[in-house]
Amino acid sequence: MTTEAATIGLTHSGSEDTGLGHRGPESKSIVVPYGFWLFVLSDMVLFSALFATYASLVNATDGGPTTNQLFDRTLVAIETLALLLSSFTCGLAMIAAKRKNMNLTQIWLLVTGLLGAVFLFIEFYEFAHMIGEGAPPQRSAFLSSFFTLVGCHGAHVTAGLLWIGTMMAQIWAKGFKEHIVRRLLCLSIFWHALDIIWVAIFTIVYLIGTLP
C-alpha cells in the first residue's frame, strides 16, 4: 500500500470512511472500480457473441470478396500500433494523476485521445475503401458480421474519446478530487479493455483471416 495511492483514495485506508470500520462495506474507491470491472466483463460477453458470429460466417461470402482480398495488413498494423500506444499513454496519465501533476495528466490524456483518433480515422478509411470496392455490409453474411464486430469496437473507441475529453475538462475545472480520480481510473480500465478486445480482433480477423 503506497502513500501516493492512499493519498488519492485508491486504497481502503486512504478513501472515505464508511462509518462502520473494517466490518462495514468497502469504500467507493473499492466498490466503484469493482462494479465497473463487472460492466467491462459484461461487455466482453457481448463481444464474445460477435466473435462467435463472425467465426461461423467468415466463409459465407456468397461469391463476394474474401478476407485475403479485402484486408491490408500494413494498414491494420499501423492502426493497432496507434491503439497500443494510446493504452501506454493512458497509463502515463494515471501515473501523472497519482502525482497530482495537472500539466502531465492533461498532456498524456490529450496524446491518448489523439492516438485513439488516428485509430478511428484508419478504421473509417478502411470501411469507406471496402464499400467503395463493392463490399458493403449487405453484400454477404461474412461482411455483415465483420462490419458489426469491428464497427462495435469502433463505437466503443468513439465513446472512449468523448469520455477522455470529459475527464480532461473535469480535471481542469475540479482538480484531483477523489470522485474525479475514480472516474479517471474507470476510464483507464475501459481503455485497456478496448485494447484487449482489439488484440483479439487483430489476431482472429486480420492475421488468421489472411493466412495463405
Side-chain angles (χ1 to χ4, degrees):
M1 182 182 301
T2 65
T3 304
E4 287 182 348
T7 301
I8 63 173
L10 294 181
T11 63
H12 185 70
S13 61
S15 58
E16 62 274 21
D17 186 6
T18 59
L20 297 173
H22 291 290
R23 293 176 301 172
E26 293 289 352
S27 68
K28 287 183 179 179
S29 302
I30 302 296
V31 173
V32 172
Y34 179 76
F36 194 76
W37 264 115
L38 293 180
F39 163 75
V40 169
L41 290 175
S42 68
D43 218 26
M44 288 192 174
V45 172
L46 166 68
F47 275 100
S48 298
L50 294 179
F51 272 116
T53 304
Y54 176 83
S56 63
L57 297 175
V58 67
N59 294 319
T61 59
D62 193 27
T66 63
T67 54
N68 278 316
Q69 296 169 315
L70 290 173
F71 300 152
D72 182 344
R73 277 190 175 188
T74 303
L75 198 61
V76 176
I78 297 172
E79 186 181 19
T80 302
L81 181 63
L83 194 62
L84 293 179
L85 281 176
S86 75
S87 191
F88 176 68
T89 56
C90 185
L92 293 178
M94 280 302 301
I95 293 173
K98 285 182 179 180
R99 295 173 178 171
K100 299 186 178 181
N101 188 319
M102 176 66 74
N103 290 334
L104 281 180
T105 303
Q106 294 286 353
I107 289 172
W108 289 126
L109 283 176
L110 177 62
V111 173
T112 301
L114 291 175
L115 288 169
V118 169
F119 171 86
L120 272 186
F121 176 80
I122 295 175
E123 189 164 277
F124 285 139
Y125 171 81
E126 180 188 35
F127 284 1
H129 179 73
M130 290 173 65
I131 293 172
E133 292 292 318
Q138 65 271 24
R139 175 63 182 83
S140 66
F142 151 63
L143 286 169
S144 295
S145 61
F146 167 79
F147 275 96
T148 302
L149 173 60
V150 180
C152 186
H153 180 270
H156 279 68
V157 174
T158 303
L161 291 182
L162 294 175
W163 194 353
I164 288 173
T166 302
M167 287 310 307
M168 289 179 68
Q170 288 188 358
I171 292 172
W172 185 261
K174 300 180 181 179
F176 298 100
K177 294 182 179 177
E178 278 190 11
H179 66 286
I180 300 294
V181 175
R182 279 200 302 271
R183 293 171 188 170
L184 185 61
L185 178 62
C186 291
L187 168 64
S188 177
I189 293 171
F190 180 75
W191 200 257
H192 292 311
L194 291 182
D195 258 16
I196 294 171
I197 295 169
W198 180 255
V199 168
I201 292 176
F202 177 73
T203 303
I204 296 172
V205 176
Y206 292 102
L207 281 184
I208 298 177
T210 56
L211 288 176

